[in-house]
């Protein structure tokens, strides 16, 4: 770095106000002893917030996992790896882990798929696009707890909209116990959750579609490509970046699934819709076993980190 | 400068003084169903009376977001910004959870010092006193008595009656089913509702003595005496007398089935009068009977302490909270509540000369006068409750057998002990 040039740039840019910095290089200012101090000073509020609201809770959770804490006892005893042993031997934990992975897949496919499908359907509309975009995005503005209540009523086996509609159109044989059938319940609740989530993914896909060069469609048209071929060879490759982003977002949202399950089934019947998140809540706030709940929090974090790392590596490989 | 500082200090002192004069606020968790106009009217009256008797005190109700069973009370107490006094569903199972977490303060001394001991049934005091080695953490506000509710007009029209024996009860359910009506509605997504029916079935099949021993850990849940109730529930599901789809219903959904007369029977307690009123159901048409039993003298409601006052360990107004409990136990308030149309429970002491405000409550009081069996939802240790409720859901959704369900509960009981 040409120091004289830097000095003149700093001086010229700031006039008299920059006098105290005169004679010092950018490196001096930013990474020198004084600069580091200034940088730290400026970052301190953000660091403090990060430390208090992120690092400290992580550390406490980690510590709790080695104790017999019930969440309120200040004299929680150190129990070593006992909570980890209990977790490993807990069949409900493994069931909830498997169901969490299933939940994640359902969410990516249902919410992501619906978001993509609707984006493709309305992206070309000129006049009515704003209407449909708004209408489809509206569920995303409703809180998940409210969504849970709405869908629990839709699924009501005796009075619900779904079963009564099926019966009304002569498909009474298709009526189900949507929240009572062990093989359906997780999917049913996920539909409700995905219904709330697809609007955001749809907007992201629409933004992605708008970024695709229209001349590519013209070229495909000239080459005689069908609508399906344009979708496969122009649209989907053009959406690759958005798709990977939506997938990672959907996976993170999938892992965080809690509210709809909590409201609609509370993990039942007989743990068939239990997710790690709902099981953590059950352990921490119903059974007051904060030690075991902390182990599950760590497990969930490890799961989220693993999925993110693997997914990012896969994404990087796709780019190459 | 000094003058300014002094003025500042004087102003601060004035503010502090004003703070002392400021009204004290007692934050109360409860009551349930405060959004119902009749209940709101009753509680607003009680609040006004307390505030009038304690100048400078303001009572603030915190509408409950749940109970101890779903963790709502614990979450509120742990926030450290929660209530000063709590009215919630109680019983030893639930109280154990908050007691073990040190979220509630012991009240044993207050029973003597404030005369509470004389203000509840002696048997109730004995029961409370025996739960935590002599330490008491709750003050009963109301007792529950769960039994079978039915529609008087429907039963009269069809010539049905609640029989005396279990076999006859199954026969009745078959007749109801054949008439195109759901024999029995249940909403096990609401854990309490699941427990109401199951507790009744256990009582009917095993009797008070066996259930009492089982909830106290003195009899295995896998003992044949205890398993019968669970097997019966699964049989009712397998024969379609209780539809598997009920496993997807909550209390509200199941109540709707009953209120609209698409279901003939429902297991609930005196509090169900509030639900009925809210739904516009004619309470004069509600009948009540204990669950039939083949065991002599064992056809009786289940229940126990239904609701209690708890003092949070982190209450900002502990003295005021105790004063409030004194007030709630007073003759004036208890009689006012018992005679009010919003009355939904059995009170923790005898109230001579008080007539229950609805006919069905009279039936419930009469049934409870013969004695009340155990509702395990109230008596089971907190760490077992969740499994207990999940097992009931598992039975109704036909995922597990009665034997498997009871083995699950027993495993948790063993761990809890």
């Amino acid at each position: 770095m040409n120091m004289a040039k830097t000095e003149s740039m700093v001086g010229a840019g700031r006039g008299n106000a920059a006098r105290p910095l005169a004679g010092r290089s950018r490196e001096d200012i930013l990474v020198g002893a004084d600069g580091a101090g200034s940088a730290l000073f400026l970052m301190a509020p953000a660091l403090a917030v990060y430390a208090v609201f992120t690092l400290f809770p992580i550390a406490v959770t980690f510590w709790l996992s080695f104790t017999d804490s019930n969440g309120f006892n200040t004299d929680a005893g150190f129990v070593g790896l006992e909570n980890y042993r209990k977790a490993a031997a807990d069949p409900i934990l493994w069931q909830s882990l498997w169901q969490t992975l299933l939940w994640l897949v359902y969410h990516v496919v249902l919410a992501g798929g619906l978001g993509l499908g609707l984006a493709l359907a309305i992206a070309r509309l000129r006049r009515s696009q704003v209407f449909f975009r708004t209408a489809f995005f509206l569920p995303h503005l409703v809180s998940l707890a409210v969504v849970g209540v709405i869908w629990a009523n839709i699924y009501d086996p005796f009075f619900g909209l779904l079963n009564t509609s099926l019966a009304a159109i002569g498909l009474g044989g298709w009526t189900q116990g949507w929240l009572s059938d062990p093989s359906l319940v997780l999917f049913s609740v996920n539909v409700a959750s995905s219904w709330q989530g697809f609007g955001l993914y749809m907007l992201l896909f629409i933004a992605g579609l708008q970024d695709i060069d229209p001349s590519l469609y013209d070229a495909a048209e000239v080459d005689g490509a069908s609508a399906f071929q344009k979708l496969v060879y122009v649209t989907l490759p053009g959406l690759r970046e958005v798709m990977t982003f939506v997938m990672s977002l959907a996976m993170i949202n999938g892992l965080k699934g809690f509210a709809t399950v909590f409201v609609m089934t509370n993990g039942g019947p007989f743990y068939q819709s239990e997710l790690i998140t709902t099981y953590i809540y059950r352990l921490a706030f119903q059974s007051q076993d904060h030690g075991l709940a902390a182990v599950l929090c760590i497990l969930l974090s490890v799961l989220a980190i693993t999925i993110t790392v693997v997914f990012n590596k896969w994404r990087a490989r796709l780019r190459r | 400068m000094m003058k300014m500082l002094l003025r500042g200090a004087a102003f601060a002192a004035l503010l502090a003084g004003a703070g002392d004069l400021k009204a004290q606020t007692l934050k109360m968790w409860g009551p349930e169903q405060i959004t119902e106009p009749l209940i709101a009217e009753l509680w607003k009256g009680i609040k006004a009376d307390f505030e009038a008797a304690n100048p400078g005190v303001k009572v603030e109700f915190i509408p409950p977001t749940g109970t101890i069973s779903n963790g709502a009370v614990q979450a509120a107490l742990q926030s450290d910004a929660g209530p000063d006094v709590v009215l919630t569903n109680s019983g030893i199972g639930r109280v154990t959870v908050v007691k073990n977490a040190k979220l509630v303060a012991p009240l044993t001394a207050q029973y003597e010092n404030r005369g509470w001991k004389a203000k509840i049934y002696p048997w109730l005091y004995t029961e409370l006193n025996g739960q935590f080695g002599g330490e008491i953490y709750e003050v009963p506000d109301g007792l529950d008595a769960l039994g079978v509710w039915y529609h008087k007009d429907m039963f009269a029209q069809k010539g049905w009656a609640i029989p005396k024996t279990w076999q006859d009860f199954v026969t009745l359910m078959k007749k109801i089913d054949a008439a195109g009506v759901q024999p029995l509605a249940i909403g096990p997504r609401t854990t309490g509702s699941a427990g109401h029916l199951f507790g009744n079935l256990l009582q009917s099949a095993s009797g008070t003595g066996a259930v009492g021993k089982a909830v106290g850990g003195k009899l295995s849940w896998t003992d044949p005496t205890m398993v019968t109730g669970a097997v019966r529930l699964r049989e009712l599901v397998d024969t379609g007398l209780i539809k598997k789809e009920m496993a997807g219903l909550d209390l509200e959904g199941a109540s709707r089935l009953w209120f609209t007369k698409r279901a003939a029977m429902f297991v609930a307690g005196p509090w169900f009068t509030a639900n009925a009123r809210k739904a516009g159901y004619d309470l004069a048409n509600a009948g009540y009977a204990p669950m039939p039993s083949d065991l002599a003298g064992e056809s009786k409601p289940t229940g126990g302490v239904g609701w209690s006052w708890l003092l949070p360990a982190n209450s900002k107004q502990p003295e005021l909270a105790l004063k409030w409990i004194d007030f709630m136990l007073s003759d004036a308030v208890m009689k006012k509540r018992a005679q009010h149309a919003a009355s939904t429970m059995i009170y923790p002491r005898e109230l001579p000369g008080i007539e229950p405000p609805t006919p069905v409550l009279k039936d419930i009081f009469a049934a409870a006068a013969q004695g009340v069996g155990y509702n395990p939802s109230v008596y089971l240790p907190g760490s077992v409750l969740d499994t207990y409720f999940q097992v009931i859901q598992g039975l109704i959704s036909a995922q597990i057998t009665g034997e498997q369900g009871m083995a699950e509960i027993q495993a948790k009981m063993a761990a809890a002990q």
Side-chain angles (χ1 to χ4, degrees), chain B residues 80-120:
Chain B
D80 205 31
D84 299 308
V85 64
V86 171
L87 174 61
T88 192
N89 297 67
S90 56
I92 182 172
R94 297 183 183 114
V95 174
T96 304
V97 175
V98 283
K99 174 247 168 196
N100 286 348
K102 297 180 183 169
L103 290 169
V104 290
L107 295 166
T108 326
Q110 311 301 334
Y111 272 83
E112 295 290 347
N113 300 343
R114 307 182 88 97
W116 294 349
K117 190 177 167 183
K119 291 186 174 174
I120 62 173

Side-chain angles (χ1 to χ4, degrees), chain A residues 94-164:
Chain A
W94 295 108
Q95 185 179 345
S96 65
L97 177 65
W98 166 243
Q99 284 164 187
T100 301
L101 292 172
L102 258 183
W103 174 271
L104 190 152
V105 172
Y106 286 155
H107 185 74
V108 170
V109 173
L110 289 175
L114 193 58
L116 175 63
L118 289 172
L120 290 171
I122 67 170
R124 299 266 165 185
L125 298 176
R126 290 190 184 277
R127 286 187 182 172
S128 50
Q129 198 203 94
V130 174
F131 168 77
F132 283 113
R133 216 167 49 190
T134 311
F136 290 140
F137 187 71
L138 274 179
H140 194 67
L141 302 177
V142 182
S143 93
L144 277 168
V146 176
V147 168
V149 174
I150 292 171
W151 277 86
N153 279 297
I154 290 173
Y155 285 141
D156 184 304
F158 301 98
F159 296 97
L161 181 69
L162 195 50
N163 275 1
T164 49

Side-chain angles (χ1 to χ4, degrees), chain B residues 116-134:
Chain B
W116 294 349
K117 190 177 167 183
K119 291 186 174 174
I120 62 173
Y121 288 114
W123 63 264
L124 188 54
Y125 178 77
T126 308
E127 190 175 297
L128 293 174
N129 200 36
Q131 290 176 345
F132 301 111

Side-chain angles (χ1 to χ4, degrees), chain A residues 243-259:
Chain A
M243 245 185 234
T244 51
F245 177 65
V246 166
M247 270 184 80
S248 52
L249 198 63
M251 283 198 287
I252 291 164
N253 284 339
L255 279 175
K256 290 194 301 187
F258 174 82

Side-chain angles (χ1 to χ4, degrees), chain A residues 64-69 82-88 90 93 279-280 283-284 289-298, chain B residues 412:
Chain A
L64 280 176
S65 73
F66 296 104
T67 70
D68 60 357
S69 169
E82 175 60 17
N83 288 324
Y84 289 86
R85 191 198 59 74
K86 263 163 64 181
D90 185 350
L93 185 151
Y279 196 40
I280 288 171
L283 288 170
D289 190 345
H290 283 234
L292 188 53
V295 173
L296 265 69
C297 288
I298 292 167
Chain B
K412 279 281 175 182

Side-chain angles (χ1 to χ4, degrees), chain A:
Chain A
M1 169 70 74
N2 182 330
M3 284 181 63
K5 192 179 170 190
T6 307
E7 188 181 324
S8 70
M9 281 166 66
V10 171
R14 301 194 179 172
N16 290 339
R19 284 276 175 225
L21 301 178
R24 293 162 61 189
S25 70
R26 188 189 295 264
E27 283 83 352
D28 275 348
I29 295 161
L30 295 177
V31 296
D34 291 350
S38 307
L40 270 176
F41 177 74
L42 291 170
M43 285 193 299
L47 281 177
V49 169
Y50 185 67
V52 170
F53 292 107
T54 305
L55 297 180
F56 179 66
I58 289 173
V60 169
T61 304
F62 204 67
W63 171 77
L64 280 176
S65 73
F66 296 104
T67 70
D68 60 357
S69 169
N70 57 27
F72 207 66
N73 53 341
T74 48
D75 54 346
F78 181 77
V79 294
L81 292 171
E82 175 60 17
N83 288 324
Y84 289 86
R85 191 198 59 74
K86 263 163 64 181
D90 185 350
I92 301 165
L93 185 151
W94 295 108
Q95 185 179 345
S96 65
L97 177 65
W98 166 243
Q99 284 164 187
T100 301
L101 292 172
L102 258 183
W103 174 271
L104 190 152
V105 172
Y106 286 155
H107 185 74
V108 170
V109 173
L110 289 175
L114 193 58
L116 175 63
L118 289 172
L120 290 171
I122 67 170
R124 299 266 165 185
L125 298 176
R126 290 190 184 277
R127 286 187 182 172
S128 50
Q129 198 203 94
V130 174
F131 168 77
F132 283 113
R133 216 167 49 190
T134 311
F136 290 140
F137 187 71
L138 274 179
H140 194 67
L141 302 177
V142 182
S143 93
L144 277 168
V146 176
V147 168
V149 174
I150 292 171
W151 277 86
N153 279 297
I154 290 173
Y155 285 141
D156 184 304
F158 301 98
F159 296 97
L161 181 69
L162 195 50
N163 275 1
T164 49
S165 301
L166 285 170
I169 57 171
L171 296 173
W174 289 21
T175 58
Q176 302 287 337
W178 303 100
L179 298 180
S180 57
D181 187 331
S183 59
L184 269 180
V185 60
L186 193 68
F187 179 79
S188 302
V189 180
N190 196 285
V191 167
S193 178
S194 298
W195 177 79
Q196 195 266 1
F198 80 88
L200 177 67
Y201 307 142
M202 180 198 69
L203 281 191
L204 292 169
F205 279 126
I206 289 175
L209 286 170
Q210 286 167 349
D211 271 355
I212 298 174
D213 186 350
S215 66
L216 292 174
Y217 289 103
D218 297 338
E221 190 84 42
V222 169
D223 289 344
S226 66
F228 181 73
Q229 284 170 322
K230 278 189 257 180
L231 172 72
V232 173
Y233 297 110
V234 180
T235 308
L236 293 183
L239 282 177
R240 201 163 59 187
E241 280 301 308
V242 178
M243 245 185 234
T244 51
F245 177 65
V246 166
M247 270 184 80
S248 52
L249 198 63
M251 283 198 287
I252 291 164
N253 284 339
L255 279 175
K256 290 194 301 187
F258 174 82
T260 39
V261 173
F262 187 71
V263 171
M264 294 174 73
T265 62
N266 198 16
F270 198 56
Y271 307 110
Q272 291 299 325
S273 60
E274 192 81 274
L275 303 179
I276 290 195
T277 45
T278 53
Y279 196 40
I280 288 171
Y281 182 88
R282 199 186 290 284
L283 288 170
F285 298 109
Q286 290 176 8
S287 301
Q288 299 296 133
D289 190 345
H290 283 234
L292 188 53
V295 173
L296 265 69
C297 288
I298 292 167
L299 179 69
L300 182 62
S301 306
V302 169
L303 186 68
I305 291 166
T306 308
I307 288 174
T308 310
V309 167
V310 169
F311 183 74
N312 281 340
K313 282 196 170 173
W314 174 73
R315 199 165 74 163
R317 193 182 295 169
L318 271 186
R319 277 189 187 142
R320 266 189 244 128

Side-chain angles (χ1 to χ4, degrees), chain B residues 25 135 166 394 404:
Chain B
T25 300
E135 201 77 278
W166 175 255
Q404 286 167 337

Side-chain angles (χ1 to χ4, degrees), chain B residues 226-396:
Chain B
M226 287 302 291
V227 171
T228 312
V231 169
R232 281 181 179 176
L233 176 56
R234 180 62 200 262
E235 279 170 2
L236 291 178
V237 172
D238 290 342
T239 50
L241 296 177
I242 290 180
K243 299 282 179 290
K244 281 182 202 170
E245 288 80 3
M246 299 270 181
L249 288 182
D250 60 4
L251 175 63
E252 198 185 320
S255 308
R256 198 185 302 145
L257 266 182
W258 191 79
F259 292 138
T260 53
K261 297 188 181 174
R262 284 181 63 176
M265 295 180 286
F266 192 81
V267 174
W271 43 268
F272 199 51
T273 49
N275 302 55
R277 208 166 24 236
K278 203 173 170 184
Y281 182 86
D282 175 17
L283 275 169
N285 190 43
Y288 175 95
M291 179 69 77
S293 173
D294 294 336
L295 307 172
E298 296 294 0
S299 175
K300 53 187 179 184
T302 56
V305 181
W307 301 266
S308 287
W309 295 102
L310 307 174
L311 177 64
N314 56 0
S315 171
K316 306 277 189 302
Q317 299 281 5
E319 269 309 311
L320 206 51
L322 296 176
K323 225 174 187 183
W324 171 263
I325 298 173
D326 284 340
F327 184 67
M328 295 307 297
L329 287 174
S330 67
D331 257 353
V333 174
M334 212 166 265
K335 282 181 178 169
K336 179 177 184 167
R337 290 176 72 190
Q339 290 174 107
H340 195 275
S343 180
T344 56
M345 61 186 192
I346 299 169
Y347 289 84
R349 71 165 178 266
E350 209 170 327
L351 297 169
I354 300 294
E355 272 288 298
T358 45
V360 69
L361 277 182
K362 282 184 197 167
D363 293 345
I364 295 173
F365 285 18
Q370 311 304 315
V372 176
Y374 293 93
N375 171 19
S377 310
V378 174
Y379 290 93
L380 279 173
S383 57
V384 182
L385 269 181
D386 188 53
T387 303
Y388 176 73
F389 294 133
Q390 290 288 341
V391 161
I392 302 169
Q393 290 185 356
L395 289 167
I396 296 171

